[in-house]
Amino acid sequence: MTELDPDDPRPPYQQVANSLRASILTKKLKPGDKLSSQSELAQRYGVARMTIQQALRILREEGLVVSRQGSGVYVRERTERPVGLRPHLERAFEEPEVRIDFAGFSGETLHGALTEPLDKIRSGRVRPELVRVRLLVPDTDVPWTLPARVEDMGDSPEFRKRAAGIMERHTFAIVDAVNEMERIGLIADAKAELRVYPAVPLFKLYLINQLEAFFGYYPVREHVVNLEGADTPIWDLMGKDATLFHHAAEPDEESLSSLFIQQSQMWFDSIWNTVAREVSR
């Protein structure tokens, strides 16, 4: 029997989910492997089947397992399927140290995904010791090659001004919310920073604790935007339509996922420490 920690304040179903998740992420359970039956898992962990069902629901929502009717529950082929950012981000805040790097356009998705873990900190349900968030977005003071006007592929200062307002709304909200955690004494060391750089990202990238990466390209779509009272067709980068793919570090540092995370972190750090500049309000 696998003993659950009686001193762990988390409910038993979360402890079971954490144990199974660790086995999946460390490749003890490999993609395609079938999990033990619910009855066997209940006996192994000394819990009720309902607890196992709740734990498996968490793993399904995280995209780590998939249920096949009449067959059982299997470890998902994660590298081949898109998965959601939110549950992985929330789980990161259960660690003593949280480090999140984002590169993309507005930070709107990240802003929404951070709501739940920050609420958990405020309510005392989680309490990391250190939180670092770095946001890297394009400089709206320089011309863009994309998005561009459809008629001549030209840069639109009016569109950049509109995009700047959206970026500022979400990125400043993230910076203020994270930094507030230290100011009011909920986290001993919390800091969020925003920098801009002179390029347009064709992708969005999230790096979590240097152990996970979410990456997706922005699809280009034509749509009409009202700019200064005129409907203007724009070739735009559609963040809401971007499909994110998940990469998790593996014990083998030469694995494709591990190398992707390492290279992505090197790219982010190089931009952050060279051509990126801090934003003043």
Side-chain angles (χ1 to χ4, degrees):
M1 179 184 295
T2 302
E3 295 285 342
L4 298 183
D5 185 356
D7 296 324
D8 193 326
R10 291 171 295 185
Y13 73 89
Q14 289 189 357
Q15 294 188 52
V16 173
N18 289 347
S19 175
L20 292 173
R21 184 190 300 112
S23 295
I24 293 171
L25 295 180
T26 59
K27 302 299 183 181
K28 292 178 181 178
L29 288 170
K30 297 180 175 57
D33 283 356
K34 182 179 179 181
L35 272 62
S36 301
S37 70
Q38 291 185 17
S39 296
E40 291 170 334
L41 290 172
Q43 184 175 4
R44 179 189 307 171
Y45 289 101
V47 297
R49 283 191 60 178
M50 180 64 71
T51 299
I52 298 300
Q53 291 171 5
Q54 290 176 297
L56 294 177
R57 176 180 55 79
I58 291 175
L59 298 181
R60 278 195 297 270
E61 291 175 352
E62 294 179 359
L64 294 175
V65 301
V66 60
S67 297
R68 297 175 186 168
Q69 189 170 4
S71 179
V73 179
Y74 292 80
V75 179
R76 200 169 191 174
E77 300 284 352
R78 292 176 296 108
T79 57
E80 298 178 2
R81 298 173 182 265
V83 295
L85 168 70
R86 188 181 299 265
H88 293 259
L89 194 62
E90 291 178 5
R91 190 177 70 248
F93 275 80
E94 297 176 2
E95 300 296 325
E97 295 189 0
V98 184
R99 299 181 186 274
I100 300 167
D101 290 334
F102 165 75
F105 253 100
S106 68
E108 181 176 1
T109 299
L110 181 60
H111 183 198
L114 283 173
T115 300
E116 180 65 19
L118 292 181
D119 281 346
K120 286 183 177 180
I121 292 173
R122 295 185 185 99
S123 65
R125 287 177 287 169
V126 296
R127 188 61 57 87
E129 300 168 4
L130 177 146
V131 174
R132 288 285 184 274
V133 178
R134 298 189 295 178
L135 309 170
L136 195 57
V137 296
D139 191 342
T140 56
D141 289 339
V142 300
W144 289 352
T145 52
L146 278 174
R149 295 188 301 266
V150 171
E151 61 178 1
D152 59 2
M153 288 297 295
D155 169 62
S156 171
E158 296 83 9
F159 187 89
R160 281 190 281 114
K161 181 179 179 180
R162 176 180 181 270
I166 297 172
M167 287 182 194
E168 290 172 359
R169 181 164 66 250
H170 294 290
T171 56
F172 287 165
I174 293 171
V175 170
D176 291 342
V178 171
N179 291 343
E180 181 189 40
M181 296 292 105
E182 179 178 329
R183 187 168 60 252
I184 63 179
L186 292 177
I187 300 176
D189 190 352
K191 184 177 183 181
E193 299 177 87
L194 170 65
R195 294 186 184 182
V196 297
Y197 69 113
V200 177
L202 299 180
F203 58 84
K204 58 169 63 178
L205 171 69
Y206 304 84
L207 295 164
I208 304 175
N209 286 346
Q210 299 183 331
L211 294 174
E212 295 182 278
F214 285 82
F215 177 89
Y217 287 104
Y218 288 113
V220 178
R221 302 275 192 269
E222 178 182 349
H223 72 131
V224 176
V225 180
N226 188 279
L227 300 175
E228 297 189 336
D231 289 341
T232 307
I234 291 285
W235 290 119
D236 201 358
L237 301 170
M238 308 302 290
K240 65 182 179 62
D241 295 332
T243 298
L244 293 177
F245 287 85
H246 178 230
H247 301 266
E250 301 174 6
D252 178 8
E253 294 185 356
E254 297 301 314
S255 69
L256 290 178
S257 288
S258 296
L259 289 173
F260 179 85
I261 294 170
Q262 295 169 24
Q263 292 294 317
S264 298
Q265 192 68 64
M266 289 173 59
W267 173 85
F268 187 98
D269 290 341
S270 69
I271 298 295
W272 185 267
N273 293 318
T274 55
V275 296
R277 64 175 178 84
E278 295 182 6
V279 177
S280 57
R281 301 196 194 187

